[in-house]
Amino acid sequence: MKQAAVKPVLFVTGHAPADRVGAFARLHELENVEFALFGGPSKHGGGPPPHGAAHEPGRDVRASGAEDAGGTVEPTDELPFPHRYIRQHEPLALAASGRYRAVVCSTGGRVALGATWAGARRAGLPLILWSSLWAHPRSIPHAFSFLALRRLYRTADAVVTYGPHVSAYVGTRGARNVHVAPQAVDNGFWGAPDVSAPQWPPRGGAAHDGGRGVRSARLEQATTKFLFVGRPGREKGLRVLTEAWRTTGLRAPPAALVLVGARSNPPWVRAGGAAGDIREGMGEGQDEFFREEPAQNGILSMSALAPVELRDLYAACDVLVVPSIATATFREPWGLVVNEAMNRGLPVIASDAVGAAAGGLVRDGHNGLVVPAGDSDALAVAIRRLAGDPALRARLGEAGARDVGAYTYDAWAAGFSAALASLGRSQRH
């Protein structure tokens, strides 16, 4: 007698950003997973969707243009795993359809989260919650979701987290059966030896110098380059970083600060989202510092880069700085730029508001330096310390390159497999 096919797992989440595609594909290989993507705001820094993928919610995407007899949505050329684009209310019917053996849902999307929970419970299926939060956002809309999310932590059959810092948080909220899926990037890509010398600014980016049209080779020739990669949101700590840079007194050519994704020289975005000038509200003398040409203040700011260009830039720089701060609505869940940079052997200076530090990848004195979030003086000390000690930079960078090797797509997928196995729903056991 022919054995019945194992039903897939339904995985409901907002997006499949570039830095998640490999992880999602590996989980599908292990556990036969179908992804339901509902869209919405995304704060991932992993670049555009593969091949520019963008689709209307509610429309299935299939290689063949039709479901097979079992109702499976097939992989396509744009994403290497079965997926469909949905509206946030649709997980209720999907999860309750009888086509799945278990349901996974991320904590994003308030309507999708509730709909997925209701559908899984209607079908009597185990529900696995994928959680990134290690502090609940403090805003009026989030205040209304606090009790509901706490109930989900307590009633989920398993919880899979970004790291130990998230596991500790959900544990205090009543979660049980908690597993870790360590955050990962494509280590083979980011650590590849075939890099090129970057253009200054790299191709596809744009350098900015406050409108004076001045860019000096002194920045490019700096012997120690500190690198920031991220969007110009207040929570990313750019204001703290530039204050710290001024305090160090470092200038090109001995040292330079390269801001990727910052767009202006240098930017700051208020909590409300309105663009502002980082110089506003700074102490006496700061404004004069930021009126200097980049060659004098040692800061080069450029637009976001394509992954290959960013990899070349990592290879040309010496230290990654991740100065994120906690705000009322955001605390850095992880910071995959840390994984990327460690694959290139860069030591990392991170604040203690960065998930990769709180979660154990960045360890102070072992593979990087950890400083209090928002403390520009402490950050300045860390920057000066690494600027003046190439042997320490080398030791920390080598340790980071070893440590990040454990953060793989296989390890990420294994975290979910362990959660499924704990519920008797893994096809591997």
Side-chain angles (χ1 to χ4, degrees), residues 126-212:
L127 177 70
I128 299 173
L129 192 64
W130 182 31
S131 182
S132 63
L133 296 176
W134 54 300
H136 195 79
R138 302 184 307 278
S139 69
I140 292 175
H142 287 103
F144 289 105
S145 69
F146 176 79
L147 293 178
L149 193 54
R150 186 174 67 176
R151 183 186 179 195
L152 281 172
Y153 290 137
R154 292 176 174 177
T155 60
D157 298 286
V159 178
V160 178
T161 71
Y162 274 35
H165 60 308
V166 180
S167 296
Y169 172 77
V170 300
T172 65
R173 298 297 183 268
R176 54 194 173 83
N177 193 20
V178 179
H179 304 262
V180 172
Q183 296 303 282
V185 298
D186 186 345
N187 292 342
F189 172 82
W190 292 105
D194 55 338
V195 295
S196 303
Q199 303 291 320
W200 294 95
R203 186 171 59 256
H208 301 273
D209 56 16
R212 285 178 293 277

Side-chain angles (χ1 to χ4, degrees), residues 251-336:
R251 301 290 185 272
L257 174 61
V258 181
L259 308 177
V260 175
R263 291 200 304 267
S264 61
N265 187 26
W268 174 49
V269 176
R270 298 184 182 90
D277 193 315
I278 196 169
R279 293 169 287 190
E280 296 175 4
M282 289 189 171
E284 185 178 352
Q286 291 276 32
D287 188 71
E288 181 179 351
F289 169 70
F290 286 112
R291 282 200 301 266
E292 295 174 358
E293 295 176 358
Q296 293 174 292
N297 65 32
I299 300 178
L300 177 64
S301 179
M302 59 183 66
S303 299
L305 303 175
V308 171
E309 293 164 332
L310 181 56
R311 183 180 62 185
D312 291 344
L313 192 59
Y314 280 130
C317 290
D318 303 280
V319 180
L320 178 73
V321 186
V322 191
S324 302
I325 62 173
T327 69
T329 59
F330 186 81
R331 185 176 292 186
E332 191 77 69
W334 188 258
L336 288 173

Side-chain angles (χ1 to χ4, degrees), residues 34 55-62 67 73 83-86 99:
E34 178 187 311
H55 296 274
E56 282 184 36
R59 188 159 63 85
D60 291 350
V61 179
R62 309 179 182 88
E67 291 185 357
V73 181
H83 63 285
R84 63 174 72 228
Y85 296 92
I86 62 170
R99 292 167 47 193

Side-chain angles (χ1 to χ4, degrees), residues 67-82:
E67 291 185 357
D68 63 22
T72 301
V73 181
E74 295 296 331
T76 72
D77 289 338
E78 74 187 14
L79 289 175
F81 46 80

